[in-house]
Amino acid sequence: MDWEGQKRSEIFMLISLVVFGVVAFGVGYAIGSFQIMMLIYGSGVVLTALITVPNWPFFNRHPLKWLDPSEADRHPKPQVNTAAPKKKASKQK
Amino acid sequence: MHSFGYRANALVTFAVTILAVMCSLASLSDNFNVPTPTADVKVLNINWFQKQPNGNDEVSLTLNISADLSSMFTWNTKQVFVFVAAEYETAQNALNQVSLWDGIIPSKEHAKFWIHTTNKYRFIDQGSNLRGKDFNLTLHWHVMPKTGKMFADKIVMTGYRLPEEYR
């Protein structure tokens, strides 16, 4: 999931769970059935989980533009002179 | 929301929090219910009234207990526990309460009932103070919810008296 997709997924999750909670309580209280309230809410949680948790393609509409490898080679990382040994091998051209 | 596990955790935590809020609201909604119960207990017969070898009085009664507790049931009620207690005063104890009968009412349909029974639990005094004793019969109830707070209350019925002599 890209950043935009993550944000959308989280907002959708928050709103969806709250809406299902409110609807479940309202319907359950109105008809006097605790069981119906639990059923509506439980199915709402499962539905929200199915929509927001897996990595669906519609959450990846703003993909990150990673730098092309050939472009990266033309701009080598600057060398930092330190006494400690480097953990990463720097690209040298 | 950086990974599958992160999102799953966030969703489950939030869902359980909302569930807790819904359950406390359900319990709060019970406060809007004003129950109007009625009850009547008749002592049909004193079966026997003896002093036990250990010095304590014991009496066996046949009771007719009738009550209508249907107004106590709400959408958030699991069951109602009801019991009948005999209450009286002695020289040693300001209040003695002896439970004579109890039952569980599982639903509103069973809440209007009458039962003709001997006392389920033995009516034994601490000592031998029961001859000619005036006592009250109290019907207590505990409304047990599906979630949240339990409500308890009672109806006191006065005017019962035990015989002057053993029989």
Side-chain angles (χ1 to χ4, degrees), chain B residues 10 12 32 45 58 70 103 112 122 125-126 130 144 153 160:
Chain B
V12 170
F32 294 124
N45 188 32
E58 182 174 352
S70 50
K112 197 167 150 80
R122 298 169 69 180
D125 186 31
Q126 288 179 332
L130 290 182
M144 297 174 172
D153 205 351
Y160 304 90

Side-chain angles (χ1 to χ4, degrees), chain A residues 1 3 6 9-10 13-14 17-18 21 24-25 28-29 32-34 37-38 41 45 48-49 52-55, chain B residues 1-8 10-12 14-19 22-23 25-26 29 32 75-76 146-147:
Chain A
M1 252 190 222
W3 305 123
Q6 287 177 13
S9 170
E10 174 165 5
M13 177 198 75
L14 297 176
L17 283 181
V18 170
F25 185 79
Y29 185 65
S33 170
F34 198 88
M37 175 174 93
M38 285 298 158
Y41 185 63
V45 169
T48 309
T52 63
V53 174
N55 194 5
Chain B
M1 314 289 256
H2 307 297
S3 70
F4 185 96
Y6 182 111
R7 285 193 297 277
L11 179 130
V12 170
F14 194 55
V16 169
T17 307
I18 293 185
L19 183 68
M22 279 176 13
C23 287
L25 282 177
S29 77
F32 294 124
W75 70 307
N76 186 30
K146 293 192 172 110
T147 70

Side-chain angles (χ1 to χ4, degrees), chain B residues 126-148:
Chain B
Q126 288 179 332
S128 66
N129 306 300
L130 290 182
R131 275 162 295 174
K133 179 62 77 180
D134 291 310
F135 65 99
N136 294 340
L137 285 173
T138 335
L139 187 90
H140 297 250
W141 59 81
H142 287 51
V143 180
M144 297 174 172
K146 293 192 172 110
T147 70

Side-chain angles (χ1 to χ4, degrees), chain B residues 43-86:
Chain B
V43 177
L44 295 174
N45 188 32
I46 311 268
N47 304 325
W48 45 264
F49 182 13
Q50 292 295 320
K51 184 172 173 150
Q52 300 302 331
N54 57 20
N56 296 331
D57 281 349
E58 182 174 352
V59 61
S60 166
L61 308 159
T62 303
L63 304 165
N64 184 332
I65 304 165
S66 66
D68 180 4
L69 303 175
S70 50
S71 60
M72 290 182 206
F73 278 82
T74 70
W75 70 307
N76 186 30
T77 303
K78 175 154 188 348
Q79 64 195 16
V80 172
F81 174 71
V82 60
F83 68 95
V84 171

